Amino acid sequence: MEVFVIHAEKLKERGHHIDSMLRSIGMDYCFINEGKNEELIQTYLNSWMKNGLENMCERTSSRVLCTLSHFLAYKRIIDDGIEGALILEDDIVLHKGFLPQFEQSIKEYEKYYSTRKIIISYEDSTLQLIPRSQREKGKMLYLKKDCRLAGAYYINRNACISILEHLETQHCDRAIDWYNAKLIKEGYIECLWCHPALATQGSFTGLFKSSMSKKKDHIETVRWWLKKRYKQLLYWFR
């Protein structure tokens, strides 16, 4: 399984975190780094991103470059002729037992969904869960009309082709999370949610400060954890 990690070199703590975490479970990976070839990046900014980086503040520029890195991962999947890849952002925290559950979910995907244009969401950062009333014994993957951010997901080759074809005619004008959500709602690609969720972004749990926003603080982290416990209880009774 190919694993691509969206990473900015300046965030060295995140690089060390992802390296240690993935090596500890025996997963090889490759960084997708948006800053290595400025001329190439500018070409794709002009081709895929609305207005490139013109007149953007630093915070927005980081978001644009992060989104572009996801698209470059999709291009790598197509160019290398692979069937799909696990895409991780560098602040992701994989839950205990991630690897065997991930492998189980991929077996289910290969049995039922491999010929479709698929993204599989593995994270619970937005606290969107599968209600107990919808869960089926032995089933991990559920079709949904929305995306749960882009910190941890599998994407197949068919979905990558569809997304890059869309970019050629309609430039991206939003962050990767919302862009993929838009394409899911419009039917260009399909999204499966994994239950149980297998990862959480560290910028939600308090492990890292968000690279996109200055708003995260200790109080918000505590609120997120309390809300997670509440949502887990709520979805158990739904």
Side-chain angles (χ1 to χ4, degrees):
M1 171 64 66
E2 297 287 341
V3 181
F4 296 140
V5 178
I6 308 304
H7 175 60
E9 280 190 338
K10 64 180 182 180
L11 301 176
K12 296 188 182 300
E13 183 182 4
R14 294 187 180 203
H16 295 320
H17 154 73
I18 204 81
D19 180 75
S20 175
M21 181 177 64
L22 293 182
R23 288 186 184 280
S24 72
I25 60 174
M27 293 188 79
D28 293 328
Y29 68 93
C30 176
F31 280 138
I32 301 294
N33 189 316
E34 84 283 340
K36 286 191 173 182
N37 187 328
E38 292 185 8
E39 183 177 348
L40 181 65
I41 294 307
Q42 192 60 50
T43 297
Y44 286 121
L45 281 171
N46 294 333
S47 299
W48 293 340
M49 309 298 293
K50 187 174 182 180
N51 299 325
L53 285 175
E54 293 178 8
N55 302 319
M56 292 184 177
C57 65
E58 181 179 353
R59 179 176 65 83
T60 307
S61 297
S62 296
R63 184 175 288 115
V64 169
L65 290 173
C66 175
T67 297
L68 181 64
S69 293
H70 283 266
F71 295 152
L72 291 175
Y74 303 166
K75 187 175 186 301
R76 176 84 67 88
I77 290 169
I78 296 170
D79 290 348
D80 290 355
I82 59 179
E83 290 306 309
L86 176 65
I87 310 291
L88 303 175
E89 293 188 342
D90 57 9
D91 73 329
I92 202 69
V93 177
L94 303 180
H95 297 178
K96 185 177 180 180
F98 171 84
L99 191 55
Q101 293 184 90
F102 172 71
E103 290 173 345
Q104 182 182 342
S105 74
I106 292 299
K107 289 179 182 177
E108 185 176 330
Y109 153 78
E110 289 174 342
K111 185 175 182 179
Y112 297 109
Y113 301 103
S114 62
T115 61
R116 296 159 73 164
K117 303 170 184 179
I118 292 292
I119 283 180
I120 306 174
S121 169
Y122 287 100
E123 67 177 299
D124 62 2
S125 303
T126 55
L127 303 179
Q128 294 170 284
L129 310 176
I130 302 296
R132 189 174 64 139
S133 62
Q134 296 178 16
R135 300 173 199 168
E136 298 179 30
K137 186 176 181 179
K139 182 176 179 178
M140 296 187 72
L141 303 178
Y142 298 82
L143 277 168
K144 290 290 181 180
K145 288 292 187 180
D146 200 0
C147 196
R148 296 188 295 187
L149 301 186
Y153 63 98
Y154 174 86
I155 185 168
N156 71 5
R157 179 180 176 84
N158 291 336
C160 292
I161 292 171
S162 184
I163 291 171
L164 292 190
E165 286 177 349
H166 185 270
L167 282 173
E168 292 299 327
T169 57
Q170 302 183 51
H171 289 358
C172 176
D173 61 353
R174 62 198 70 191
I176 185 64
D177 315 275
W178 317 128
Y179 181 76
N180 283 349
K182 176 178 181 288
L183 266 58
I184 291 164
K185 287 183 172 66
E186 294 177 356
Y188 287 93
I189 56 177
E190 295 181 283
C191 186
L192 295 163
W193 290 7
C194 180
H195 178 83
L198 304 179
T200 306
Q201 291 185 39
S203 50
F204 282 80
T205 67
L207 180 62
F208 297 110
K209 290 183 178 180
S210 172
S211 63
M212 305 297 180
S213 172
K214 304 296 184 181
K215 294 181 179 179
K216 286 289 177 185
D217 57 25
H218 294 302
I219 294 176
E220 288 203 20
T221 297
V222 171
R223 286 174 179 164
W224 185 88
W225 278 108
L226 291 173
K227 189 175 180 180
K228 179 176 181 177
R229 300 305 178 216
Y230 168 73
K231 284 290 189 75
Q232 288 173 330
L233 182 64
L234 180 65
Y235 279 91
W236 173 255
F237 287 106
R238 284 184 170 179

